[in-house]
Amino acid sequence: MTVSTATNKEQGAGPRRGRRSPTASVGLHATLVVASVIAVFPVLWVLLTSIKPAKHAISTDFVKEPTLDNYRYLVESTSFFSWFANSVLVAGVTTILGVFIAATTGYAVSRFKFPGMKPLMWTLLITQMFPMAILIVPLYNLMGQLGLLNQPVGLIITYLTIAVPFCAWMMKGFFDTIPVEIDESGRVDGLNPFGTFWRLILPLAKPGLAVTGFYAFITAWGEVAYASAFMVGDENLTLAGGLQTFVTQYTSNWGAMTAASVLIAIPAAVFFLFAQRHLVAGMTAGATKG
């Protein structure tokens, strides 16, 4: 009894495990505050620049003579709504097709053994190693031969080649975490493989689908290089290509560009808000398989 009491006193006298010292706590919170300021400052600066008049666009003043003229110019004097519609079309179709192709590919590789499965997965992985810049010329020539230059279809196909390989790998890892017994129960109930996939597996794969859809959407929504190279003509540009019209060799309309950037960020933010509750689960699902 005496030994037990002494042991408890010794344990109570020492520092408790898992508790930070005041200095460590202050240092941690200071680091988080600095990191938050660094992350938020560029976004805030773009927002503030968008409401500055042209003569103060590059000034260091946070707010000086605020005005909405940049937004008014963007709406009334440019083809912003045409660019926006083109981007919605391209990003929307890319997201839908990308999610479907990636999900079916990931499910097939996760559940079935077939000749060429490993080479297929290696091919999907290797395609991610090529820098985007070196693919512009061959893809441009290929799209030209197919008559898909200056066509939304050509841009959609290009974005699918970027999004699908990565998303298929991600979906494969997610499907690996879903018990195979669910597929077997579907077959017992008379479902074919696609019916099992569509009716039983996909409802369980919402987190993975959310991550895949978010990645495909952002790939198509914010991409600049291919959109600028493959699309010409004011009425055919996407938002990424339209932004470049504000910067020429001799002039730069920073007010209109930042105003457009703010408006472009809104759909991406809305998409993120709808998908965020599934993002963490979907991104970590592939890593939890034992």
Side-chain angles (χ1 to χ4, degrees):
M1 183 72 177
T2 304
V3 175
S4 176
T5 304
T7 303
N8 291 336
K9 288 182 178 180
E10 291 177 359
Q11 292 177 349
R16 295 183 181 178
R17 290 185 178 181
R19 296 193 64 178
R20 292 187 296 269
S21 66
T23 303
S25 181
V26 170
L28 175 61
H29 284 83
T31 302
L32 292 176
V33 169
V34 172
S36 299
V37 171
I38 293 175
V40 172
F41 180 77
V43 180
L44 178 62
W45 190 259
V46 169
L47 178 61
L48 293 177
T49 303
S50 71
I51 58 176
K52 292 180 182 179
K55 60 182 179 180
H56 298 308
I58 58 175
S59 68
T60 56
D61 298 319
F62 273 84
V63 180
K64 191 170 184 179
E65 301 178 19
T67 178
L68 295 178
D69 287 345
N70 293 320
Y71 292 92
R72 189 176 298 109
Y73 169 80
L74 189 67
V75 172
E76 297 177 355
S77 303
T78 70
S79 301
F80 178 80
F81 288 113
S82 177
W83 305 339
F84 189 89
N86 293 336
S87 289
V88 169
L89 173 64
V90 172
V93 176
T94 299
T95 301
I96 295 172
L97 292 180
V99 169
F100 180 77
I101 296 173
T104 52
T105 303
Y107 179 75
V109 175
S110 174
R111 290 297 194 264
F112 306 110
K113 304 296 181 182
F114 53 89
M117 183 183 71
K118 288 186 177 180
L120 171 63
M121 296 306 294
W122 276 108
T123 300
L124 294 177
L125 181 62
I126 291 173
T127 56
Q128 300 299 300
M129 300 180 182
F130 291 96
M132 184 180 297
I134 69 173
L135 297 177
I136 292 179
V137 173
L139 284 175
Y140 184 91
N141 293 334
L142 180 61
M143 293 299 169
Q145 294 173 5
L146 297 175
L148 296 178
L149 287 178
N150 218 30
Q151 298 289 334
V153 175
L155 209 53
I156 291 170
I157 294 174
T158 301
Y159 291 151
L160 287 175
T161 63
I162 301 173
V164 167
F166 175 78
C167 292
W169 264 98
M170 187 161 46
M171 290 304 300
K172 190 264 183 190
F174 187 85
F175 287 131
D176 285 344
T177 66
I178 298 178
V180 181
E181 289 76 12
I182 296 178
D183 302 65
E184 295 173 352
S185 66
R187 287 192 290 270
V188 170
D189 292 338
L191 294 175
N192 57 30
F194 183 80
T196 301
F197 164 75
W198 187 260
R199 298 180 62 179
L200 300 181
I201 303 301
L202 273 189
L204 301 176
K206 288 181 179 180
L209 295 176
V211 177
T212 300
F214 184 73
Y215 179 81
F217 178 82
I218 293 300
T219 297
W221 187 258
E223 198 280 327
V224 177
Y226 292 128
S228 302
F230 295 174
M231 308 294 282
V232 296
D234 204 42
E235 70 283 356
N236 296 320
L237 294 177
T238 60
L239 288 169
L243 281 179
Q244 295 197 351
T245 62
F246 299 127
V247 180
T248 65
Q249 184 177 358
Y250 303 104
T251 61
S252 299
N253 191 341
W254 296 112
M257 178 179 289
T258 53
S261 300
V262 171
L263 297 180
I264 290 172
I266 293 176
V270 171
F271 195 102
F272 174 79
L273 289 175
F274 279 108
Q276 65 174 341
R277 63 175 180 161
H278 297 301
L279 288 180
V280 175
M283 292 170 64
T284 60
T288 60
K289 181 177 172 57

